[in-house]
Amino acid sequence: MKGVIDINDPINQLFGKLVDIAYHVHTNLGPGLFESVYEDVTFWKSKKPGFAERQKPILLSWDGKLIDRPAFKADIIVETKVLIEIKSVESLAPVHLKQVETYLRLSGIKLGLLLNFNSAYFKDGIRRIVNKL
């Protein structure tokens, strides 16, 4: 059925674990810190050997030529399956969602997690973005 999330799907289970990690980071630190602080702690909490990469450069191919400079650096990529973009802003704007959509398309990763740690209620700062490939 379209639009239904299968909670038994391994990628959705991974997504749930990542949301849980981010929730605990937000609960313990609270809003108002720099994005880099939330990124450091979220990465540290989700890190296992081969589990997560941080500030991973993503290259761009244009007209069959590989551009020698990264198009962007992903805040955190987990198991090459979930791209996490971390913000600490007053509120998420449509451009933040578009940014993650572009990152997913260029990286080929299927699922994105946009987290705004500056939300008073963390549930208001979570966005799930699916790469429509």
Side-chain angles (χ1 to χ4, degrees):
M1 189 183 319
K2 190 174 181 179
V4 174
I5 296 173
D6 178 4
I7 61 170
N8 295 318
D9 184 348
I11 196 165
N12 290 325
Q13 290 179 349
L14 174 60
F15 187 85
K17 288 177 187 175
L18 296 171
V19 169
D20 188 54
I21 287 168
Y23 170 79
H24 284 92
V25 170
H26 184 269
T27 300
N28 287 295
L29 295 178
L33 302 174
F34 291 122
E35 289 176 13
S36 58
V37 174
Y38 298 115
E39 182 183 320
D40 289 342
V41 178
T42 302
F43 175 72
W44 180 78
K45 293 286 287 177
S46 62
K47 188 176 169 187
K48 292 187 212 170
F51 187 70
E53 298 175 273
R54 182 173 175 229
Q55 289 298 313
K56 180 173 174 63
I58 304 298
L59 300 176
L60 171 67
S61 178
W62 184 263
D63 268 349
K65 180 183 183 325
L66 190 63
I67 307 300
D68 63 352
R69 176 180 321 205
F72 69 96
K73 290 184 181 178
D75 288 346
I76 301 172
I77 295 178
V78 182
E79 291 186 0
T80 67
K81 295 177 184 164
V82 180
L83 182 143
I84 301 173
E85 179 66 20
I86 294 176
K87 300 292 182 195
S88 183
V89 293
E90 187 174 332
S91 63
L92 291 173
V95 70
H96 296 127
L97 286 111
K98 290 294 185 189
Q99 176 186 24
V100 175
E101 288 173 357
T102 299
Y103 288 1
L104 291 173
R105 185 173 40 81
L106 292 178
S107 68
I109 294 173
K110 181 179 177 182
L111 189 59
L113 177 57
L114 175 59
L115 301 169
N116 182 15
F117 282 92
N118 205 33
S119 297
Y121 299 102
F122 190 61
K123 66 179 181 152
D124 296 335
I126 302 170
R127 297 292 181 277
R128 175 187 175 101
I129 299 118
V130 177
N131 184 357
K132 303 217 179 9
L133 300 175

